[in-house]
Amino acid sequence: MRTSDEELMMRCRSGDTAAFELIVMRFKDQIINYICRSVGDYHQAEDLAQETFIRIYKNADSYEPRSKFKNWLYLIATNLCRNEIRDRSRRKTDLLARKSTGAKESDSLDIFPDFRYMPDRLYEKKERELIIQQKINCLPENQRLCLILVTYQGMRYEEIAEIIGCSVSAVKSLIHRSRRNMKKLLMESGIGESHNAKI
Amino acid sequence: MPKSEETNIQLSAYFDGEVSRQKRLKIRKHLENSDEAAFELMQITQVDHLLKQLSPIETRDQFLLELMQRVSETPSQEEPTLTLFPRDTERFQSCFVFSRDQLQLKFRSVTFGVAVFVFICVAFFFLQTHPIPKETNVPLVARSVGRFIQVDLVSMPITKKQSIISPIHIEEER
């Protein structure tokens, strides 16, 4: 019989490292996928996923079994993602300010990577994936997180509301707006049109 | 919010299977009659289909090893932080779903704010219950301080009395 996540977490609370390892095994792929889609960078996603699990381990004592473990885990990951997204936009603003004052262009390489010369990205599928990911990154913070949670994590609106920290009706509205914005962005990049044509 | 916008929100929720049975039947009926709604639903389906084209990201094998190594280096308990009321802070924290890290800073400032507020309330209450006599010709601060000192003017020798009481009061006494 499969041990529940909550049960594993209770074992982890009493210092069982094996239980924690099992939790990591269960959720690592989901969490990395979620963070990676949110921040748009695999290496950053791995770091943040590690940070998420370490926080889970450190704060195991404060875990209340009455709340769903998965939601708690996603809440921590979401907070980390939010911090990262905000830091990035701040860095981006700084960068633009520096650019306007005549700073070196090479500074921007870590933020705006150039994929043109990477052989892997020449494939159409990869290129399409890249554009889709870029467009996801263009969405406002909450819209992006809601869209990722519903599309890639298959979460219910109620769970998303708990993770994002708003009402279910707000989640409904956010998801609708994120889809509308995505449609617009994909059409602009020519992806939506070709897909429409195929259909 | 315009009606069409509200309908589109409902269509999006319908697509995700997040509407009640009754509402679902209503939406189905609406879809049969409205081409606009049917087109909107088709677009939602297309966007979702496009988004799902992203292939899942595979985690590196080293991830678990690296993580467990980091975990073995970290203590299981967070170091206690200095707060004015640690017990209350913990109680507050357990009430909310937020992580402890995020709230520590907030609670420190909240605790300080509450302490300042309580102090102001106590001071205000004290001043209300111990009104300052208005007839004295002494500045407000001096009168407030004087209340604590409580000078006994009756039993005091006349020479000292004269030095304490203002000239106006001496005039009145005469």
Side-chain angles (χ1 to χ4, degrees):
Chain A
M1 207 176 91
R2 191 179 189 263
T3 321
S4 72
D5 304 328
E6 288 75 23
E7 225 170 293
L8 281 176
M9 199 55 211
M10 293 311 283
R11 273 168 55 189
C12 182
R13 246 175 99 155
S14 52
D16 187 350
T17 327
F20 175 72
E21 204 172 323
L22 210 58
I23 285 174
V24 178
M25 290 282 278
R26 272 186 197 177
F27 289 100
K28 67 176 169 52
D29 292 329
Q30 289 177 49
I31 286 292
I32 287 185
N33 267 275
Y34 170 55
I35 300 174
C36 192
R37 295 273 175 254
S38 306
V39 299
D41 178 2
Y42 178 78
H43 297 290
Q44 196 71 46
E46 230 186 37
D47 286 348
L48 291 176
Q50 283 205 2
E51 188 56 39
T52 306
F53 285 116
I54 284 172
R55 282 188 187 199
I56 290 282
Y57 184 73
K58 272 184 181 174
N59 298 310
D61 273 2
S62 65
Y63 171 70
E64 295 293 329
R66 61 170 178 259
S67 63
K68 214 172 161 188
F69 170 74
K70 195 181 167 188
N71 292 0
W72 189 53
L73 174 70
Y74 272 86
L75 177 74
I76 294 172
T78 303
N79 287 338
L80 287 169
C81 285
R82 275 187 169 146
N83 291 345
E84 178 59 26
I85 292 166
R86 282 169 199 175
D87 280 355
R88 267 188 193 194
S89 58
R90 215 172 296 138
R91 280 194 303 243
K92 221 179 210 175
T93 323
D94 288 349
L95 178 82
L96 290 172
R98 268 187 291 156
K99 247 187 173 179
S100 62
T101 53
K104 277 184 184 177
E105 208 169 285
S106 58
D107 290 353
S108 65
L109 285 176
D110 55 334
I111 298 166
F112 301 121
D114 190 356
F115 295 114
R116 281 175 298 177
Y117 307 110
M118 292 183 183
D120 288 353
R121 306 284 172 183
L122 292 172
Y123 296 107
E124 196 189 336
K125 191 179 176 290
K126 286 280 167 195
E127 219 170 70
R128 180 181 279 235
E129 278 187 14
L130 188 71
I131 294 168
I132 293 171
Q133 182 61 58
Q134 279 173 350
K135 298 303 166 197
I136 292 173
N137 294 351
C138 292
L139 292 175
E141 191 186 290
N142 275 353
Q143 286 185 26
R144 189 193 312 186
L145 294 171
C146 283
L147 186 73
I148 292 165
L149 285 169
V150 78
T151 310
Y152 302 109
Q153 307 295 316
M155 282 201 173
R156 313 291 304 168
Y157 283 9
E158 222 167 274
E159 290 173 317
I160 298 172
E162 201 183 319
I163 292 165
I164 300 291
C166 56
S167 63
V168 175
S169 53
V171 169
K172 264 186 196 178
S173 176
L174 279 167
I175 290 171
H176 162 67
R177 272 185 277 151
S178 66
R179 280 180 176 146
R180 193 185 56 197
N181 289 341
M182 271 308 284
K183 183 180 78 185
K184 212 177 183 183
L185 289 164
L186 291 171
M187 290 279 259
E188 277 170 13
S189 60
I191 288 185
E193 282 167 6
S194 60
H195 188 74
N196 279 347
K198 270 179 199 172
I199 287 170
Chain B
M1 195 184 288
K3 205 183 169 191
S4 62
E5 181 78 356
E6 182 56 40
T7 313
N8 290 346
I9 291 173
Q10 291 303 328
L11 277 173
S12 182
Y14 170 80
F15 175 77
D16 292 322
E18 292 281 349
V19 287
S20 62
R21 196 172 169 269
Q22 209 178 356
K23 229 172 203 174
R24 204 187 315 146
L25 293 170
K26 227 176 173 180
I27 291 170
R28 267 185 204 161
K29 220 172 190 180
H30 180 67
L31 282 167
E32 281 169 14
N33 300 324
S34 165
D35 288 343
E36 209 179 313
F39 182 69
E40 176 65 26
L41 185 67
M42 191 192 76
Q43 286 199 320
I44 292 170
T45 317
Q46 282 175 0
V47 170
D48 187 69
H49 180 77
L50 279 169
L51 288 171
K52 281 183 176 153
Q53 283 188 2
L54 290 186
S55 40
I57 297 146
E58 282 170 26
T59 316
R60 279 189 311 121
D61 297 334
Q62 295 296 309
F63 177 81
L64 186 66
L65 281 172
E66 284 171 12
L67 176 67
M68 292 316 286
Q69 201 176 339
R70 270 184 76 181
V71 164
S72 64
E73 287 163 9
T74 33
S76 60
Q77 291 290 317
E78 285 231 301
E79 280 178 24
T81 47
L82 289 170
T83 49
L84 274 173
F85 307 107
R87 271 191 180 178
D88 293 337
T89 313
E90 269 178 28
R91 264 180 223 153
F92 268 121
Q93 282 169 347
S94 62
C95 288
F96 297 100
V97 199
F98 305 113
S99 68
R100 186 183 288 186
D101 281 4
Q102 269 213 325
L103 284 174
Q104 259 169 7
L105 232 158
K106 276 185 194 169
F107 269 109
R108 255 183 238 170
S109 54
V110 166
T111 320
F112 179 72
V114 166
V116 169
F117 179 73
V118 166
F119 176 76
I120 290 167
C121 284
V122 167
F124 183 75
F125 181 74
F126 182 80
L127 285 171
Q128 287 295 312
T129 50
H130 299 75
I132 302 158
K134 283 177 183 172
E135 61 272 15
T136 49
N137 191 27
V138 189
L140 180 72
V141 179
R143 271 187 276 152
S144 311
V145 174
R147 188 183 295 117
F148 289 103
I149 302 165
Q150 288 184 346
V151 184
D152 187 5
L153 291 169
V154 179
S155 59
M156 200 180 278
I158 196 82
T159 46
K160 277 189 182 174
K161 216 189 258 183
Q162 277 170 345
S163 64
I164 293 171
I165 302 170
S166 63
I168 298 162
H169 282 84
I170 296 167
E171 279 290 316
E172 279 172 5
E173 265 182 28
R174 277 176 192 167

Coordinates of all heavy atoms in Angstrom, one line a residue, chain B residues 120-172:
Chain B
I120 N 0.8 53.5 23.9 CA 0.0 54.8 23.6 C -1.4 54.7 24.3 O -1.8 55.6 25.0 CB -0.1 55.1 22.1 CG1 1.3 55.5 21.6 CG2 -1.1 56.2 21.8 CD1 1.4 55.5 20.1
C121 N -2.0 53.5 24.2 CA -3.3 53.3 24.8 C -3.3 53.5 26.3 O -4.1 54.1 26.9 CB -3.9 52.0 24.4 SG -4.5 51.9 22.7
V122 N -2.3 52.9 26.9 CA -2.2 52.9 28.4 C -1.9 54.4 28.8 O -2.6 54.8 29.8 CB -1.0 52.0 28.8 CG1 -0.6 52.3 30.3 CG2 -1.4 50.5 28.7
A123 N -1.1 55.1 28.1 CA -0.8 56.5 28.4 C -2.0 57.3 28.3 O -2.3 58.1 29.2 CB 0.3 57.0 27.5
F124 N -2.8 57.1 27.2 CA -4.0 57.8 27.0 C -5.0 57.6 28.1 O -5.6 58.5 28.7 CB -4.6 57.5 25.6 CG -5.8 58.2 25.3 CD1 -5.7 59.5 24.9 CD2 -7.1 57.6 25.3 CE1 -6.9 60.3 24.5 CE2 -8.2 58.4 25.0 CZ -8.1 59.7 24.6
F125 N -5.2 56.3 28.5 CA -6.1 55.9 29.5 C -5.7 56.5 30.9 O -6.6 57.0 31.6 CB -6.1 54.3 29.7 CG -7.0 53.8 30.7 CD1 -8.4 53.8 30.5 CD2 -6.6 53.3 31.9 CE1 -9.3 53.3 31.4 CE2 -7.4 52.9 32.9 CZ -8.8 52.9 32.7
F126 N -4.4 56.5 31.2 CA -3.9 57.1 32.4 C -4.3 58.6 32.5 O -4.7 59.1 33.5 CB -2.4 56.9 32.5 CG -1.8 57.4 33.8 CD1 -1.9 56.7 35.0 CD2 -1.2 58.7 33.8 CE1 -1.4 57.2 36.1 CE2 -0.7 59.2 35.0 CZ -0.8 58.4 36.2
L127 N -4.0 59.3 31.4 CA -4.3 60.7 31.3 C -5.8 61.0 31.5 O -6.2 62.0 32.0 CB -3.8 61.3 30.0 CG -2.2 61.5 30.0 CD1 -1.8 61.9 28.6 CD2 -1.8 62.5 31.0
Q128 N -6.6 60.1 30.9 CA -8.1 60.3 31.0 C -8.6 60.1 32.5 O -9.4 60.8 32.9 CB -8.8 59.3 30.1 CG -8.7 59.6 28.6 CD -9.3 60.9 28.2 OE1 -10.5 61.1 28.6 NE2 -8.6 61.7 27.5
T129 N -8.0 59.1 33.1 CA -8.5 58.8 34.5 C -7.9 59.8 35.6 O -8.4 59.9 36.6 CB -8.1 57.3 34.9 OG1 -6.7 57.1 34.6 CG2 -9.0 56.4 34.1
H130 N -6.7 60.4 35.2 CA -6.1 61.3 36.1 C -6.1 62.7 35.5 O -5.0 63.1 35.0 CB -4.7 60.9 36.5 CG -4.6 59.6 37.2 ND1 -4.8 58.4 36.5 CD2 -4.5 59.3 38.5 CE1 -4.8 57.4 37.4 NE2 -4.5 57.9 38.6
P131 N -7.2 63.4 35.4 CA -7.2 64.7 34.7 C -6.3 65.7 35.4 O -6.2 65.8 36.6 CB -8.7 65.1 34.8 CG -9.3 64.4 35.9 CD -8.5 63.1 36.1
I132 N -5.7 66.6 34.5 CA -4.8 67.6 35.0 C -5.6 68.8 35.5 O -6.5 69.3 34.7 CB -3.8 68.0 33.9 CG1 -3.1 66.7 33.4 CG2 -2.9 69.1 34.4 CD1 -2.5 66.9 32.1
P133 N -5.4 69.3 36.7 CA -6.2 70.5 37.1 C -5.9 71.7 36.2 O -4.7 72.0 36.0 CB -5.8 70.7 38.5 CG -4.5 69.9 38.7 CD -4.6 68.8 37.7
K134 N -6.9 72.3 35.6 CA -6.7 73.4 34.7 C -6.3 74.7 35.3 O -5.7 75.5 34.6 CB -8.0 73.5 33.8 CG -8.1 72.5 32.8 CD -9.4 72.6 32.0 CE -9.5 71.4 31.0 NZ -10.8 71.4 30.4
E135 N -6.7 74.9 36.6 CA -6.5 76.2 37.2 C -5.0 76.5 37.4 O -4.6 77.7 37.5 CB -7.2 76.3 38.6 CG -6.8 75.3 39.6 CD -7.6 74.0 39.5 OE1 -8.2 73.8 38.5 OE2 -7.6 73.2 40.4
T136 N -4.1 75.5 37.5 CA -2.7 75.8 37.7 C -2.1 76.5 36.5 O -2.5 76.2 35.4 CB -1.9 74.5 38.0 OG1 -2.3 73.6 37.0 CG2 -2.2 74.0 39.4
N137 N -1.2 77.4 36.8 CA -0.6 78.2 35.7 C 0.8 77.6 35.3 O 1.7 78.3 35.2 CB -0.5 79.6 36.1 CG -0.1 80.5 35.0 OD1 -0.4 80.2 33.8 ND2 0.5 81.6 35.3
V138 N 0.8 76.3 35.3 CA 2.1 75.6 35.0 C 2.0 74.9 33.6 O 0.9 74.5 33.2 CB 2.4 74.5 36.0 CG1 3.8 74.0 35.9 CG2 2.2 75.1 37.4
P139 N 3.0 74.9 32.8 CA 2.9 74.2 31.5 C 2.5 72.8 31.6 O 2.7 72.2 32.7 CB 4.4 74.3 31.0 CG 5.0 75.4 31.8 CD 4.3 75.5 33.0
L140 N 1.9 72.3 30.5 CA 1.3 70.9 30.5 C 2.3 69.8 31.0 O 2.0 69.0 31.8 CB 0.7 70.6 29.1 CG 0.1 69.2 29.0 CD1 -1.2 69.2 29.7 CD2 -0.1 68.9 27.5
V141 N 3.5 69.8 30.4 CA 4.5 68.8 30.7 C 4.8 68.8 32.1 O 4.9 67.8 32.8 CB 5.7 69.0 29.8 CG1 6.7 67.9 30.1 CG2 5.3 68.9 28.3
A142 N 5.1 70.1 32.6 CA 5.5 70.2 34.0 C 4.4 69.8 35.0 O 4.6 69.1 36.0 CB 5.8 71.7 34.3
R143 N 3.1 70.0 34.6 CA 2.0 69.6 35.4 C 1.9 68.1 35.5 O 1.7 67.5 36.5 CB 0.7 70.1 34.8 CG 0.3 71.5 35.4 CD -1.0 71.9 34.9 NE -1.0 72.5 33.6 CZ -1.9 72.5 32.7 NH1 -3.1 71.8 33.0 NH2 -1.8 73.1 31.5
S144 N 2.1 67.4 34.3 CA 2.1 66.0 34.2 C 3.2 65.4 35.1 O 2.9 64.4 35.8 CB 2.3 65.5 32.8 OG 1.4 66.2 32.0
V145 N 4.3 66.0 35.1 CA 5.5 65.5 35.9 C 5.2 65.8 37.3 O 5.4 64.9 38.2 CB 6.8 66.1 35.4 CG1 7.9 65.7 36.4 CG2 7.1 65.8 34.0
G146 N 4.6 66.9 37.6 CA 4.3 67.3 39.0 C 3.4 66.4 39.7 O 3.4 66.2 40.9
R147 N 2.5 65.7 38.9 CA 1.5 64.8 39.5 C 2.2 63.6 40.1 O 1.9 63.1 41.1 CB 0.6 64.3 38.4 CG -0.5 63.4 39.0 CD -1.5 62.9 37.9 NE -2.2 64.0 37.2 CZ -2.0 64.2 36.0 NH1 -1.2 63.5 35.2 NH2 -2.7 65.2 35.4
F148 N 3.3 63.2 39.5 CA 4.1 62.1 40.0 C 4.9 62.5 41.2 O 5.0 61.7 42.2 CB 5.1 61.6 38.9 CG 4.4 60.9 37.8 CD1 4.2 61.5 36.6 CD2 3.9 59.6 38.0 CE1 3.5 60.9 35.6 CE2 3.2 58.9 36.9 CZ 3.0 59.6 35.7
I149 N 5.3 63.7 41.2 CA 6.1 64.2 42.4 C 5.2 64.4 43.6 O 5.6 64.1 44.7 CB 6.9 65.5 42.0 CG1 7.8 65.2 40.8 CG2 7.8 66.0 43.2 CD1 8.4 66.5 40.2
Q150 N 4.0 64.9 43.4 CA 3.0 65.1 44.4 C 3.5 66.0 45.6 O 3.9 65.5 46.7 CB 2.5 63.8 45.0 CG 1.6 63.1 44.0 CD 1.0 61.9 44.5 OE1 1.4 61.4 45.5 NE2 0.0 61.4 43.8
V151 N 3.7 67.3 45.3 CA 4.2 68.2 46.4 C 3.1 68.5 47.4 O 2.0 68.9 47.0 CB 4.8 69.5 45.7 CG1 5.4 70.4 46.7 CG2 5.7 69.1 44.6
D152 N 3.4 68.4 48.6 CA 2.4 68.7 49.7 C 2.6 70.1 50.1 O 3.5 70.5 50.8 CB 2.7 67.7 50.9 CG 1.6 67.9 51.9 OD1 0.6 68.7 51.6 OD2 1.7 67.3 52.9
L153 N 1.8 71.0 49.5 CA 1.9 72.4 49.8 C 1.5 72.9 51.2 O 1.9 73.9 51.7 CB 1.1 73.2 48.7 CG 1.7 73.1 47.3 CD1 0.7 73.7 46.3 CD2 3.0 73.8 47.2
V154 N 0.6 72.1 51.7 CA 0.0 72.5 53.1 C 1.1 72.4 54.2 O 1.3 73.3 54.9 CB -1.2 71.7 53.4 CG1 -1.8 72.1 54.7 CG2 -2.3 71.8 52.3
S155 N 1.7 71.2 54.2 CA 2.7 71.0 55.3 C 4.0 71.6 55.0 O 4.9 71.5 55.9 CB 2.8 69.5 55.5 OG 3.2 68.9 54.4
M156 N 4.2 72.2 53.9 CA 5.5 72.7 53.5 C 5.7 74.1 54.1 O 4.8 74.9 54.2 CB 5.6 72.8 52.0 CG 7.0 72.9 51.5 SD 6.9 73.0 49.7 CE 6.8 71.3 49.3
P157 N 7.0 74.4 54.6 CA 7.3 75.7 55.2 C 7.0 76.8 54.1 O 7.2 76.6 52.9 CB 8.7 75.7 55.6 CG 9.2 74.3 55.3 CD 8.1 73.5 54.6
I158 N 6.7 78.0 54.6 CA 6.2 79.1 53.8 C 7.3 79.5 52.8 O 7.0 79.9 51.6 CB 5.7 80.3 54.6 CG1 4.9 81.2 53.7 CG2 6.8 81.0 55.3 CD1 3.5 80.8 53.5
T159 N 8.5 79.5 53.2 CA 9.6 79.9 52.3 C 9.8 79.1 51.0 O 9.9 79.5 49.9 CB 11.0 79.9 53.0 OG1 11.1 78.7 53.7 CG2 11.1 81.1 53.9
K160 N 9.6 77.8 51.3 CA 9.7 76.8 50.1 C 8.5 76.9 49.2 O 8.6 76.9 48.0 CB 9.9 75.4 50.6 CG 11.3 75.0 51.0 CD 11.4 73.5 51.3 CE 12.8 73.2 51.7 NZ 12.9 71.8 52.1
K161 N 7.4 77.1 49.9 CA 6.1 77.2 49.2 C 6.2 78.4 48.2 O 5.8 78.3 47.0 CB 5.0 77.5 50.2 CG 3.7 76.8 49.9 CD 2.6 77.3 50.8 CE 2.3 76.3 51.8 NZ 1.2 76.8 52.7
Q162 N 6.7 79.5 48.6 CA 6.8 80.7 47.7 C 7.7 80.4 46.5 O 7.4 80.9 45.4 CB 7.4 81.8 48.5 CG 6.3 82.5 49.4 CD 6.9 83.6 50.3 OE1 8.1 83.6 50.6 NE2 6.1 84.4 50.9
S163 N 8.7 79.6 46.7 CA 9.6 79.3 45.6 C 8.9 78.4 44.5 O 9.2 78.4 43.4 CB 10.9 78.7 46.0 OG 10.6 77.5 46.6
I164 N 8.0 77.6 45.0 CA 7.3 76.6 44.1 C 6.1 77.3 43.4 O 5.9 77.2 42.2 CB 6.8 75.3 44.9 CG1 8.1 74.6 45.3 CG2 5.9 74.5 44.0 CD1 7.8 73.4 46.2
I165 N 5.3 78.0 44.2 CA 4.0 78.5 43.6 C 4.4 79.8 42.8 O 5.2 80.6 43.1 CB 3.0 78.9 44.8 CG1 2.7 77.7 45.6 CG2 1.8 79.5 44.2 CD1 2.0 78.0 46.9
S166 N 3.7 79.9 41.7 CA 4.0 81.0 40.7 C 3.5 82.3 41.3 O 2.6 82.3 42.2 CB 3.3 80.7 39.4 OG 1.9 80.7 39.6
P167 N 4.0 83.4 40.8 CA 3.6 84.7 41.4 C 2.1 85.0 41.3 O 1.6 85.6 42.2 CB 4.4 85.7 40.5 CG 5.4 84.9 39.8 CD 5.0 83.5 39.8
I168 N 1.5 84.4 40.3 CA 0.0 84.6 40.2 C -0.7 84.0 41.4 O -1.6 84.7 41.9 CB -0.5 84.0 38.8 CG1 0.2 84.7 37.7 CG2 -2.0 84.1 38.7 CD1 0.1 84.0 36.4
H169 N -0.3 82.9 41.7 CA -0.9 82.2 42.9 C -0.7 82.9 44.2 O -1.6 83.0 45.0 CB -0.4 80.8 43.0 CG -1.1 79.9 42.0 ND1 -0.6 79.8 40.7 CD2 -2.2 79.1 42.0 CE1 -1.4 79.0 40.0 NE2 -2.3 78.5 40.8
I170 N 0.5 83.5 44.3 CA 0.8 84.3 45.5 C -0.1 85.5 45.6 O -0.7 85.8 46.6 CB 2.3 84.7 45.5 CG1 3.2 83.4 45.6 CG2 2.6 85.6 46.7 CD1 4.6 83.7 45.3
E171 N -0.4 86.1 44.4 CA -1.3 87.2 44.3 C -2.7 86.8 44.8 O -3.3 87.5 45.6 CB -1.4 87.7 42.9 CG -0.3 88.6 42.4 CD -0.3 90.0 43.0 OE1 -1.4 90.6 43.1 OE2 0.8 90.4 43.4
E172 N -3.1 85.7 44.2 CA -4.5 85.2 44.6 C -4.6 84.9 46.1 O -5.7 85.2 46.7 CB -4.8 83.9 43.8 CG -5.2 84.2 42.4 CD -5.3 83.0 41.5 OE1 -5.1 81.9 42.1 OE2 -5.6 83.1 40.3

